[in-house]
Amino acid sequence: MRARSKSARSEKDAGRWTKKIIHVDMDAFFAAVEQRDHAELRAKPVVVGGDPRSRGVVSTCSYEARKFGIRSAMPLSQAYRLCRHAVFVKPRFEVYREVSCRVMNLLRQHTDLVESVSLDEAYLDVSRHRFGIEDPVLIAALIKQNILAATRLTASAGVAGSMFLAKVASDYQKPDGLTVVRPGTENDFLNPLPVRKIPGVGPVIEKKLLGMGYATCGELAAAPLRRLTAELGRHGEYLSRAARGLDEREVSPWTEPKQSSLEETFDKDTRDLEFLRGRLRAYAEEIYEDLLKTGRVGRTIVLKVKYADFRLITRSQTLTREPACSEEIYRVAAALLEEKTRAGKDAVRLLGLGIAGLVNREEIRTLKTPDMFASQGILL
Ligand code: TTP
Ligand code: MG
């Protein structure tokens, strides 16, 4: 009898959440690592990106720096104008990657269904928790504690019935937040939020939506779909569904395309092909090492070029099998640079190289469908 009543209770609990999704996002990630490792930076406006006299952009900044209006992707020179006493530091990607790896491993202690979307951000489906914990809010609280104890860094978490809502929720009370969107309260949570809170809505789409008279998700949810698609093309349907909280995506650790990439804004625009090739070779080596270290494989090589006039292009090539060495990545990238861009003729401001469509070698193995991957040229 006892066992029965227990299972009846847990069935009832499970019924309340269709899916239990947690989104975890580290707070001011690169800047928080710098403040952790350099005590003199704590409680100060810290900008990660490099020398403010260089032409790079802000990777991220501490919450103290955000009070001055500094934001990711802003030119460093502008950040300097906004806050002259900010401390500008160079990024240490190897350290961030290591911390990220540690955090992702902690998340995998709770479930195999972890989809990491960037160094500092991941979704978990904890509908079936590894040790049977039923309450996703408790799991999220444990995760935050695990991360703090292991890394001395804070993360924000969102708990909801879908990936979309969990992501919006994790952003809701940053830093060190834990926001829960309980089943049945989805619209109450979403309706008052400004449209900018929808992932993928940047300043351009926001302006367009405001111009159309939609300031909040509630207003956007009530907008005729035809009007949205007419004005915004294929974004229209996504926005309409997002504003209504509709999202059927599954957390998928092995299929989601991921990218390993590096890019650099040069101190001076350059037409020097030899120099650009040299940079590509250095990126290829670093990327290849990263793939080896993180056990990931991918076959699509992506080259990014921004010209002096800020025109940005990407060119990619998908190989028939995964690259066997950094030299192979370099050769493909150099060929793309020479044949598919105007580098050497037009001045180049920024150069980037990446590998897209990455999957995790371990995760492929556990899928036990090697044929599927062999047909894509990925060796197990
Ligand atoms: P985010 O999670 O977007 O930002 P964040 O962790 O710094 O701050 P928040 O508390 O708002 O989450 O990005 C994670 C890291 O990715 C960030 O620390 C630095 C890097 N990044 C860039 O290098 N360039 C960018 O434009 C952005 C947005 C992030
Ligand atoms: Mg973050």
Side-chain angles (χ1 to χ4, degrees):
M1 268 316 275
R2 263 189 152 178
R4 222 168 127 189
S5 69
K6 192 175 166 210
S7 90
R9 195 176 333 123
S10 63
E11 258 171 45
K12 190 173 135 239
D13 284 347
R16 281 200 242 142
W17 295 89
T18 39
K19 266 191 284 185
K20 298 172 185 172
I21 309 292
I22 301 177
H23 181 259
V24 179
D25 190 303
M26 303 294 292
D27 301 319
F29 184 43
F30 296 0
V33 172
E34 296 307 326
Q35 288 182 318
R36 178 194 72 173
D37 294 350
H38 302 102
E40 71 278 11
L41 298 182
R42 288 183 202 153
K44 291 211 176 123
V46 174
V47 177
V48 181
D51 188 332
R53 286 159 302 188
S54 72
R55 304 195 311 159
V57 294
V58 175
S59 281
T60 192
C61 58
S62 64
Y63 277 77
E64 293 84 354
R66 293 181 196 194
K67 287 189 199 136
F68 294 89
I70 302 176
R71 294 286 179 270
S72 291
M74 175 182 279
L76 288 162
S77 53
Q78 189 183 347
Y80 178 68
R81 284 197 297 278
L82 287 170
C83 178
R84 287 180 193 263
H85 66 282
V87 188
F88 288 79
V89 298
K90 274 202 184 136
R92 295 180 301 150
F93 292 107
E94 336 72 65
V95 181
Y96 311 144
R97 267 200 286 267
E98 243 177 75
V99 176
S100 169
C101 222
R102 186 117 196 243
V103 170
M104 297 304 162
N105 285 336
L106 288 172
L107 301 182
R108 287 193 194 95
Q109 291 181 355
H110 293 272
T111 172
D112 286 331
L113 290 179
V114 176
E115 180 176 326
S116 66
V117 279
S118 74
L119 279 184
D120 90 322
E121 185 191 345
Y123 294 94
L124 294 85
D125 185 334
V126 294
S127 305
R128 286 159 172 264
H129 184 264
R130 198 183 295 285
F131 308 118
I133 305 178
E134 294 268 339
D135 181 3
V137 185
L138 174 62
I139 301 170
L142 282 174
I143 286 173
K144 278 165 55 71
Q145 262 181 25
N146 293 159
I147 294 176
L148 184 63
T151 67
R152 289 188 288 131
L153 297 169
T154 60
S156 296
V159 182
S162 72
M163 292 171 74
F164 168 74
L165 282 166
K167 177 159 170 99
V168 177
S170 76
D171 188 54
Y172 192 69
Q173 301 185 71
K174 261 182 171 291
D176 202 12
L178 171 51
T179 304
V180 185
V181 185
R182 295 198 176 272
T185 68
E186 291 85 354
N187 291 335
D188 297 340
F189 172 71
L190 267 183
N191 285 347
L193 291 184
V195 289
R196 184 66 187 266
K197 292 287 173 189
I198 299 175
V201 174
V204 176
I205 295 185
E206 181 190 32
K207 202 168 157 208
K208 213 156 186 184
L209 290 173
L210 291 178
M212 291 167 76
Y214 308 129
T216 64
C217 289
E219 287 161 3
L220 185 57
L225 177 60
R226 245 178 305 133
R227 180 163 186 225
L228 291 178
T229 45
E231 295 279 337
L232 295 145
R234 60 196 167 82
H235 287 306
E237 192 174 342
Y238 161 73
L239 290 173
S240 170
R241 290 177 58 79
R244 287 175 288 148
L246 301 177
D247 177 20
E248 270 95 52
R249 283 175 302 158
E250 299 285 339
V251 174
S252 49
W254 44 76
T255 55
E256 203 58 24
K258 292 169 193 164
Q259 184 158 351
S260 168
S261 61
L262 281 175
E263 65 179 54
E264 186 177 15
T265 303
F266 301 122
D267 289 335
K268 270 194 185 146
D269 301 334
T270 179
R271 289 191 167 79
D272 183 346
L273 254 184
E274 209 41 55
F275 166 77
L276 294 172
R277 282 198 210 100
R279 296 314 298 146
L280 283 182
R281 191 182 290 278
Y283 306 156
E285 279 167 12
E286 193 163 326
I287 288 170
Y288 187 68
E289 208 172 288
D290 173 55
L291 295 187
L292 285 184
K293 230 192 277 170
T294 54
R296 294 177 301 167
V297 290
R299 300 180 290 133
T300 303
I301 293 172
V302 187
L303 178 80
K304 183 167 160 184
V305 171
K306 196 191 265 179
Y307 297 108
D309 61 2
F310 284 79
R311 259 180 314 132
L312 180 71
I313 59 160
T314 57
R315 297 288 178 261
S316 65
Q317 185 177 337
T318 300
L319 308 177
T320 50
R321 53 171 187 76
E322 60 174 296
C325 57
S326 67
E327 181 65 21
E328 197 174 342
I329 300 174
Y330 162 70
R331 278 203 303 266
V332 175
L336 286 172
L337 182 76
E338 284 158 40
E339 292 159 23
K340 300 271 170 70
T341 78
R342 295 191 50 80
K345 299 182 199 88
D346 292 355
V348 169
R349 175 183 173 85
L350 169 151
L351 183 66
L353 177 62
I355 302 220
L358 293 178
V359 285
N360 192 309
R361 203 182 286 277
E362 276 308 310
E363 282 157 354
I364 298 170
R365 280 208 191 99
T366 56
L367 269 180
K368 296 193 184 77
T369 51
D371 290 351
M372 192 173 127
F373 292 94
S375 66
Q376 294 179 27
I378 295 171
L379 307 170
L380 296 181

